[in-house]
Amino acid sequence: MAKKKLFFANWKMSLLPNQAVELAEAMVDKIKPRADQAICLLPSFSALSLVQTVAGKSQLQLGAQDIFWQEHGAYTGEESALTLRELGCSSVLVGHSERRQYCHETDEMVNKKVKTCLEHGLQPIICVGETFEERKDGQKDFIVMQQLEKALSGVKLTKFDRLAVAYEPVWEIGSGQAALPDEVWYTLQVLKQLLLNQYSPEVVRDQIWLLYGGSVDADNILGLFGHPVLEGVLVGGSSLSVDNFNQLIQASS
Ligand code: PEP
């Protein structure tokens, strides 16, 4: 069976818990994934449990925006894989550029989080992407390859593991202007090559998804999906309205 296209709704810290529940209710009502699509909501930690009560019995999946690598103990402010599993999460964002920027998350921390997700049956969505300055300096490929290589250092995949890699140019996030499709496809091919150095073609084909994120909307999504290397999207702003998110999904094929 062909891989499903993945749609992740990253709600960041944009909603209060009751607003997240309202949005989840509207999405459960209105958004019906086709057999070849999977849709996953990523609310903030504080809303996970509430959103799970709404989305838990629907076809929409639940994920988290972060994770910590210890299972329990004196780690103030963190959440463990055990908690995320108990709350019904199936996937977790790891290394989002906002966490790298504001919380000084390093590639080593990202690597620990990826391993933790896999050990607990969660799908990590590894975010990589260059800043505008790095791009101007001609370092884009080097930066994204290095981030991915370090994120996957020592990561072995069993046949049960699922992984996603999201190329998110930092300067495109929230800009209203997505990267050009050619550029996205080229960068995803570079990342895929790197994955093929570490994993078999079958594992890359069946267990690893390549995504793009950065100002995806209903107007640009069809163009982005114009090459099979793109297998899903990570959506911020356009996932904060049920109509925008639904239109984006409808417009994707
Ligand atoms: C994101 O935060 O990962 C993202 C892609 O946001 P936006 O769609 O708003 O650019």
Side-chain angles (χ1 to χ4, degrees):
M1 162 133 169
K3 258 167 157 177
K4 292 187 182 207
K5 271 186 190 160
L6 306 187
F7 298 82
F8 289 97
N10 179 13
W11 292 350
K12 312 192 186 197
M13 203 180 72
S14 304
L15 303 170
L16 297 174
N18 68 322
Q19 293 171 325
V21 171
E22 268 176 35
L23 185 55
E25 279 169 351
M27 288 195 176
V28 165
D29 247 21
K30 192 149 182 181
I31 299 180
K32 308 290 170 203
R34 293 191 327 220
D36 60 349
Q37 299 172 332
I39 297 165
C40 182
L41 309 181
L42 306 168
S44 56
F45 282 147
S46 55
L48 272 177
S49 170
L50 291 165
V51 171
Q52 163 64 1
T53 59
V54 176
K57 293 176 222 88
S58 79
Q59 292 170 285
L60 306 189
Q61 298 170 11
L62 187 70
Q65 297 175 16
D66 192 25
I67 191 167
F68 192 60
W69 52 84
Q70 296 289 350
E71 287 193 350
H72 58 261
Y75 304 103
T76 304
E78 299 294 347
E79 293 292 359
S80 71
L82 298 179
T83 298
L84 300 185
R85 285 297 304 257
E86 189 172 312
L87 293 176
C89 292
S90 54
S91 50
V92 182
L93 280 184
V94 178
H96 191 281
S97 60
E98 287 151 15
R99 293 205 57 80
R100 292 182 194 255
Q101 182 182 352
Y102 301 120
C103 306
H104 308 292
E105 200 155 294
T106 63
D107 289 325
E108 289 66 34
M109 291 159 79
V110 170
N111 177 247
K112 285 188 194 179
K113 292 180 181 197
V114 170
K115 287 177 175 160
T116 304
C117 285
L118 294 169
E119 275 160 24
H120 291 84
L122 293 158
Q123 178 182 36
I125 307 149
I126 304 169
C127 301
V128 299
E130 82 286 2
T131 63
F132 191 66
E133 287 66 37
E134 290 164 342
R135 180 189 192 80
K136 253 191 352 210
D137 289 349
Q139 294 189 68
K140 186 203 50 166
D141 290 2
F142 171 73
I143 295 289
V144 297
M145 285 166 72
Q146 196 179 52
Q147 286 175 341
L148 185 58
E149 205 174 323
K150 289 188 174 176
L152 290 175
S153 170
V155 173
K156 297 199 171 33
L157 296 177
T158 72
K159 64 179 179 180
F160 303 108
D161 293 326
R162 300 289 177 268
L163 187 77
V165 177
Y167 170 50
E168 294 211 305
V170 178
W171 51 285
E172 306 274 20
I173 295 176
S175 70
Q177 181 76 50
L180 295 173
D182 278 343
E183 172 100 41
V184 171
W185 302 334
Y186 166 78
T187 309
L188 292 180
Q189 298 281 16
V190 168
L191 295 172
K192 188 168 184 173
Q193 209 49 55
L194 200 89
L195 292 168
L196 286 165
N197 291 341
Q198 189 161 340
Y199 305 109
S200 73
E202 292 73 27
V203 166
V204 174
R205 184 191 61 205
D206 299 336
Q207 298 178 228
I208 306 180
W209 276 255
L210 286 162
L211 318 179
Y212 166 74
S215 299
V216 178
D217 62 25
D219 293 331
N220 57 34
I221 193 161
L222 189 59
L224 289 164
F225 272 125
H227 192 292
V229 72
L230 183 71
E231 300 170 311
V233 284
L234 177 53
V235 185
S238 295
S239 72
L240 290 171
S241 133
V242 61
D243 290 331
N244 290 348
F245 196 45
N246 195 30
Q247 280 162 17
L248 174 157
I249 294 163
Q250 301 291 333
S252 66
S253 52

